[in-house]
Amino acid sequence: MRILILGLFALHFIFLAYLNNVYLAGLPMRSFLILLLGGLIFLQDHTILARLHPVNLVYALLAIVGLVVSILHDVTLVNIFNGELKLLQSYLLVLAAYFILEQYGIRTLILVIVGIALPSAIIGILQALDVAAAWQWHTNLQAIQNKELSDESRIQIAEVLLRAPGLALYAIPQTYMLLSAMILTLYAVLRRPQDQPTQLLGAGILLILAAGIFASETRSAMGAALVMPAIIYLRQYPTKVIPAGILLLLAGMIVMLFSGDNGADVDSRLVSLDDASAVGRSTLYKYGTELFLQQPFGYGFNFDTVEYATEYFVNDRNLFAYEPYEKAQYIVPVHNSILNLVHTYGFIGLILLGYYVFRLVNGNWYRATFMLGSFMNSLFHNAGILSNDLFMDIVLAVMVYEVNQQNATTPVVQGAAQTA
């Protein structure tokens, strides 16, 4: 059973990473896989649920709050079901990753996730270098997926059409996956500070993952890919030559991307408006903040800021001033994971997010660094912690496991824990 669960976990990650748009009976194939995984894990060891605090508390409260707020705002049963299902899938992914950690250890989890993510980073690098075969591999992979893209997805993909997606659906999911793989690689580096082969291999993998992120030309992810290794290496290995080389290479990539012919095109999924892209994002944040201030208790599951925009502005409900050219709110969602969270659950969602992060960091410097990297990216995109970033959920499972191990006086990152 343990081997079957491990195999299904790896298969689920492949569908999540590369075949996210394969649907069966109206649901993503990965949804069926994670539900099956959750059931098998419960049958194998139902006591695991007791070891997932504070995950149990946070997700249970989110499910209750989401249901109540949705009912109060007359959200359809279909949308309520979809919202609760997304929460359940996120929870089950944390559960599944935690089971792998308990049964096989962190090394196996790292090998599975990094081993699957690394080819996509390499393909993304080749795509950035205009290797035709790399783009054809992506085309072939998308051809076998059977779900028609939503209008929102089409807009998002069109905006990043020329940015390297690797083997993911498009560039943004690619960066979420590679950032999570980078965090797990940094965990491996921290676990064996004196093991030179591990350090060299880890540095090489980090460079490939970072290059894949830079190839996607997503500035928020690029910043996170630079900041996290910089903090980890400067704090943990200040005298080593390898981290200095990594920092120089990453800095060189940033300089090349911003100073070359394509530098002006480097974007963080900003809307394609006639004005500067930063103005478009500023408009989205104004609008998203207004929606929260107008309804601090939230709007319920599947709230669409784009669909709501016309009604909102036609009725002149806005609190802030908007120029005639500010039209981003009519085109794309707010592109901020925390705003999405409070739009669904209200201020209670924000409180639960703060509690969740606080409990998982638990005063630890490198976990705080990983959280920083996650927020650096998700504050400019729609997915994030507790907001359907399923890649980060795997990392959070490692944090839960580590906190539990530390409470039992056996930390996962032994070398780093000594300096924490």
Side-chain angles (χ1 to χ4, degrees):
M1 180 75 82
R2 291 169 63 249
I3 296 176
L4 174 62
I5 290 173
L6 178 61
L8 284 174
F9 178 81
L11 182 62
H12 171 270
F13 190 77
I14 290 172
F15 273 87
L16 176 63
Y18 300 156
L19 300 169
N20 195 52
N21 231 31
V22 174
Y23 274 59
L24 178 65
L27 289 175
M29 187 63 188
R30 59 177 173 80
S31 298
F32 290 100
L33 289 172
I34 195 63
L35 291 172
L36 176 60
L37 261 175
L40 291 176
I41 290 170
F42 183 79
L43 290 175
Q44 177 73 12
D45 180 15
H46 66 274
T47 65
I48 191 174
L49 300 179
R51 298 188 289 278
L52 281 181
H53 191 77
V55 183
N56 295 332
L57 176 64
V58 169
Y59 278 87
L61 290 176
L62 282 178
I64 294 170
V65 171
L67 177 62
V68 172
V69 174
S70 296
I71 292 174
L72 292 176
H73 285 84
D74 297 321
V75 176
T76 65
L77 289 176
V78 171
N79 284 336
I80 292 175
F81 173 79
N82 287 336
E84 297 285 13
L85 181 61
K86 287 180 180 178
L87 269 181
L88 177 61
Q89 290 179 86
S90 178
Y91 173 81
L92 290 178
L93 189 51
V94 177
L95 171 70
Y98 191 90
F99 179 86
I100 300 301
L101 287 164
E102 283 197 334
Q103 297 294 320
Y104 292 96
I106 189 172
R107 182 175 180 272
T108 297
L109 183 70
I110 292 172
L111 288 174
V112 170
I113 302 304
V114 175
I116 294 173
L118 203 58
S120 190
I122 295 171
I123 296 299
I125 295 168
L126 295 175
Q127 289 165 345
L129 296 173
D130 291 327
V131 176
W135 285 103
Q136 187 59 48
W137 290 330
H138 178 264
T139 300
N140 293 340
L141 194 61
Q142 302 314 305
I144 66 175
Q145 304 192 47
N146 61 344
K147 173 66 174 178
E148 184 177 353
L149 296 175
S150 66
D151 291 339
E152 178 186 338
S153 295
R154 289 182 185 278
I155 291 172
Q156 294 167 356
I157 293 175
E159 290 171 358
V160 295
L161 191 61
L162 300 179
R163 290 159 53 182
L167 295 174
L169 190 61
Y170 55 104
I172 304 306
Q174 164 88 332
T175 57
Y176 274 98
M177 172 175 59
L178 298 187
L179 279 175
S180 297
M182 176 173 279
I183 292 174
L184 292 176
T185 303
L186 287 168
Y187 259 114
V189 168
L190 286 167
R191 289 180 70 234
R192 301 191 176 187
Q194 306 303 325
D195 188 334
Q196 194 67 16
T198 297
Q199 295 300 312
L200 290 172
L201 179 61
I205 291 174
L206 286 171
L207 280 174
I208 295 172
L209 294 173
I213 291 170
F214 284 35
S216 76
E217 300 182 1
T218 306
R219 284 188 299 191
S220 57
M222 289 162 58
L226 175 64
V227 167
M228 288 191 300
I231 295 176
I232 296 298
Y233 276 107
L234 290 175
R235 170 69 186 266
Q236 189 71 8
Y237 314 107
T239 61
K240 290 186 178 292
V241 177
I242 294 175
I246 291 176
L247 294 177
L248 288 173
L249 285 170
L250 292 176
M253 292 177 185
I254 290 180
V255 171
M256 289 174 60
L257 284 170
F258 278 95
S259 62
D261 293 337
N262 294 326
D265 295 329
V266 178
D267 203 346
S268 182
R269 197 173 166 188
L270 299 174
V271 293
S272 299
L273 301 173
D274 292 334
D275 58 301
S277 57
V279 175
R281 190 166 295 280
S282 174
T283 300
L284 293 174
Y285 293 165
K286 281 196 298 182
Y287 173 51
T289 302
E290 282 196 23
L291 291 177
F292 171 60
L293 295 176
Q294 294 273 12
Q295 187 53 262
F297 290 94
Y299 298 84
F301 289 122
N302 282 37
F303 178 67
D304 190 334
T305 61
V306 175
E307 290 185 0
Y308 194 71
T310 300
E311 176 189 347
Y312 186 85
F313 284 94
V314 165
N315 288 280
D316 196 27
R317 300 179 182 179
N318 49 294
L319 301 174
F320 303 134
Y322 292 81
E323 298 296 334
Y325 57 77
E326 293 189 79
K327 296 179 171 57
Q329 68 273 23
Y330 300 110
I331 303 173
V332 288
V334 295
H335 287 63
N336 182 293
S337 64
I338 291 182
L339 286 176
N340 285 333
L341 186 72
V342 297
H343 290 163
T344 300
Y345 307 102
F347 70 92
I348 296 177
L350 189 60
I351 292 173
L352 290 174
L353 174 65
Y355 170 76
Y356 195 40
V357 171
F358 176 78
R359 288 294 305 273
L360 295 184
V361 170
N362 198 30
N364 182 278
W365 68 271
Y366 56 82
R367 289 200 294 270
T369 299
F370 299 150
M371 287 293 191
L372 172 64
S374 175
F375 282 115
M376 284 181 65
N377 187 47
S378 67
L379 288 177
F380 297 91
H381 301 288
N382 289 318
I385 297 172
L386 299 182
S387 295
N388 209 36
D389 180 1
L390 300 177
F391 295 108
M392 189 63 187
D393 284 335
I394 296 172
V395 174
L396 299 183
V398 177
M399 295 184 182
V400 174
Y401 179 74
E402 184 177 27
V403 169
N404 287 345
Q405 291 294 95
Q406 287 176 337
N407 290 338
T409 69
T410 311
V412 173
V413 185
Q414 297 178 355
Q418 294 171 359
T419 64

